[in-house]
């Protein structure tokens, strides 16, 4: 199963050649990197692990998080989901999707923002891509 980026499950704009990605971004206030690992399984996204490089405004790590190599690692208790909604902005750094040892900005995958506040969705492709 592949992962897709698109608008509301209807307009697929990119099919990623993988079923597992790391979604990464920089916190807009604290300027700290955050990463989440997702896997496509049975048509849904499973959040496998999350990591954050520090803590601060709106970024409190759970009590069971473990500090390893400068990152707080934890496994969110979150059920599998249909999609992850990403809101893009010119006021913050672009999201990155990482697989096969390389990270790519959404701009590399989808091109520049069509408009401020554009939302994209990451979801398991309904058909093989």
């Amino acid at each position: 199963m592949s992962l897709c980026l698109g608008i509301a499950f209807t307009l697929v704009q990119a099919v990623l050649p993988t079923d597992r990605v790391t979604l990464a971004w920089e916190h807009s206030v604290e300027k700290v990197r955050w990463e989440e690992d997702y896997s496509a399984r049975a048509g849904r996204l499973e959040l496998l692990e999350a990591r954050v490089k520090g803590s601060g405004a709106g970024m409190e790590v759970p009590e069971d998080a473990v500090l390893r190599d400068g990152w707080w690692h934890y496994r969110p208790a979150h059920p599998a989901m249909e999609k992850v909604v990403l809101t893009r902005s010119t006021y913050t750094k672009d999201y990155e999707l990482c697989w096969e040892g390389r990270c790519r900005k959404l701009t590399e995958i989808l091109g520049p923002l069509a408009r401020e506040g554009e939302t994209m969705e990451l979801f398991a492709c309904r058909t093989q891509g």
Side-chain angles (χ1 to χ4, degrees), residues 32-35 50-54 59 61 70-74:
V32 172
R33 188 169 174 94
W34 199 305
E35 297 180 349
R51 293 170 297 287
V52 64
K53 200 71 160 150
M59 315 176 15
V61 295
W71 290 82
W72 287 102
H73 293 254
Y74 61 99

Side-chain angles (χ1 to χ4, degrees), residues 93-112:
K93 287 188 177 180
D94 204 3
Y95 288 98
E96 292 182 356
L97 288 174
C98 310
W99 70 92
E100 295 178 358
R102 181 171 172 237
C103 293
R104 299 146 181 97
K105 294 183 185 304
L106 286 190
T107 302
E108 288 179 55
I109 300 168
L110 301 170

Side-chain angles (χ1 to χ4, degrees), residues 38-126:
Y38 289 92
S39 179
R41 294 187 185 162
R44 299 178 69 81
L45 291 178
E46 183 178 339
L47 178 53
L48 305 173
E49 183 186 74
R51 293 170 297 287
V52 64
K53 200 71 160 150
S55 61
M59 315 176 15
E60 295 75 21
V61 295
E63 289 183 21
D64 62 344
V66 175
L67 183 61
R68 189 169 60 244
D69 298 325
W71 290 82
W72 287 102
H73 293 254
Y74 61 99
R75 182 175 168 93
H78 199 289
M81 58 198 97
E82 288 189 29
K83 63 185 175 184
V84 174
V85 178
L86 308 171
T87 303
R88 299 172 72 196
S89 172
T90 57
Y91 299 106
T92 59
K93 287 188 177 180
D94 204 3
Y95 288 98
E96 292 182 356
L97 288 174
C98 310
W99 70 92
E100 295 178 358
R102 181 171 172 237
C103 293
R104 299 146 181 97
K105 294 183 185 304
L106 286 190
T107 302
E108 288 179 55
I109 300 168
L110 301 170
L113 284 170
R115 67 187 182 292
E116 179 62 36
E118 172 182 76
T119 57
M120 301 303 301
E121 295 177 351
L122 175 67
F123 55 95
C125 298
R126 299 223 184 279

